[in-house]
Amino acid sequence: MGRDQSKADDLAKTLGGGTTAGKWTAVPAGDIVITALLYDGVVPVVAEYGQALAGKVIVDISNPFNATFDGLAHSEPTSMDFALGVSEFTG
């Protein structure tokens, strides 16, 4: 699934090996499902397709941006904080 379906389809074709690009509102297919959603979209999608996702490998590369894209949607530590050696996150 993607904002640009033709780009997603082209990538799936390039990857080969039976790779497919999902379509919005379609039940996820395949053994591996990659999600790349905005932070507030993850839970609704998993709730909607929970049974279809059971037993699949899910790779979540979702973006934790807020709705205005000017900050994060949460105040939890990020991987960058850990990479920089921040041991305590103060928000």
Side-chain angles (χ1 to χ4, degrees):
M1 298 179 202
R3 290 182 291 175
D4 186 332
Q5 189 65 48
S6 65
K7 287 172 83 174
D9 291 336
D10 288 345
L11 176 59
K13 183 178 178 181
T14 299
L15 293 172
T19 303
T20 60
K23 308 231 185 304
W24 285 111
T25 71
V27 174
D31 297 325
I32 301 171
V33 176
I34 300 171
T35 61
L37 306 164
L38 288 176
Y39 184 79
D40 63 354
V42 175
V43 171
V45 167
V46 172
E48 175 76 22
Y49 298 108
Q51 291 299 320
L53 296 171
K56 298 182 184 294
V57 174
I58 300 172
V59 179
D60 180 19
I61 57 171
S62 296
N63 296 301
F65 295 108
N66 62 22
T68 57
F69 300 102
D70 61 359
L72 297 179
H74 61 77
S75 61
E76 300 298 319
T78 66
S79 56
M80 182 58 76
D81 294 319
F82 292 110
L84 295 174
V86 176
S87 60
E88 183 176 331
F89 188 74
T90 59

